[in-house]
Amino acid sequence: MALGYLAVLVVLAIAFCWLKDRFTSALWRWRNPPEELAAKRHAFEQRLLHPDWEFYERHLQRPAPSALRELFANHRLLLANDCGYYEDYYISTFEPLDETALVDARQWVGYDIVPFANSEGDSIYLRPGSSESDAVFITYHDGGDTEKIAPDVSTFLQRLHRAN
């Protein structure tokens, strides 16, 4: 008898979880219609494919490295997701070079950077400043640690091309 009650409780728990999952999925689809998601993706891609170099160089306080311009001229690579990079790193997505990206990054990192890529939400960027090198850094969102992942953008781009 007790075994029967236990079986009923297990079936009810499974049914509840299944119904909750269905409801949550339907609610998400209702709040995010495919047309809206496609429009947002298109807007993001347009920002990505048309970098605001004037803004970027003004914020960087020096000319953008030619390797970074080369990277952003490669639209096929920019639109790829989850690109291999080097050892334990990979690129989840590339980031637009514009003022909106600066505002978004400041929210996550806590200081002014304009990331050009990210790895699972960890910003990959150059440090602004006229005396800074073109070394590529990553700042981890789950602790704030920063690490240099390439001595310059050319090396970063070479590693990216070798991995993909």
Side-chain angles (χ1 to χ4, degrees):
M1 185 82 136
L3 195 56
Y5 288 127
L6 183 60
V8 168
L9 286 176
V10 168
V11 168
L12 284 175
I14 291 171
F16 175 78
C17 290
W18 182 80
L19 285 172
K20 182 180 178 290
D21 182 57
R22 292 290 178 187
F23 177 75
T24 303
S25 295
L27 186 61
W28 186 88
R29 284 190 304 277
W30 179 71
R31 289 183 177 167
N32 299 286
E35 309 80 37
E36 187 177 312
L37 294 175
K40 285 180 180 179
R41 179 67 187 169
H42 178 73
F44 176 82
E45 287 175 356
Q46 290 306 304
R47 287 178 53 218
L48 185 62
L49 298 177
H50 299 94
D52 185 347
W53 291 113
E54 183 180 311
F55 164 80
Y56 189 77
E57 290 179 336
R58 187 173 59 247
H59 179 73
L60 197 58
Q61 300 169 24
R62 61 186 186 273
S66 59
L68 189 64
R69 287 182 176 271
E70 180 184 330
L71 170 62
F72 274 78
N74 185 340
H75 291 181
R76 182 194 59 75
L77 184 59
L78 283 179
L79 296 175
N81 289 323
D82 296 329
C83 299
Y85 172 60
Y86 182 71
E87 294 176 357
D88 295 333
Y89 303 105
Y90 74 96
I91 307 299
S92 302
T93 59
F94 289 95
E95 297 293 332
L97 299 180
D98 59 18
E99 194 165 358
T100 303
L102 170 70
V103 172
D104 292 345
R106 186 183 302 139
Q107 222 174 14
W108 289 103
V109 178
Y111 48 90
D112 284 352
I113 61 165
V114 180
F116 62 86
N118 82 66
S119 178
E120 295 184 325
D122 299 327
S123 296
I124 298 173
Y125 59 93
L126 304 177
R127 288 184 172 161
S130 57
S131 62
E132 287 285 345
S133 71
D134 287 334
V136 179
F137 294 90
I138 186 169
T139 295
Y140 301 101
H141 68 278
D142 59 352
D145 295 337
T146 297
E147 182 179 345
K148 181 165 57 168
I149 61 173
D152 54 47
V153 183
S154 295
T155 304
F156 177 87
L157 191 55
Q158 288 169 0
R159 290 175 183 166
L160 191 60
H161 284 305
R162 265 188 257 135
N164 295 289

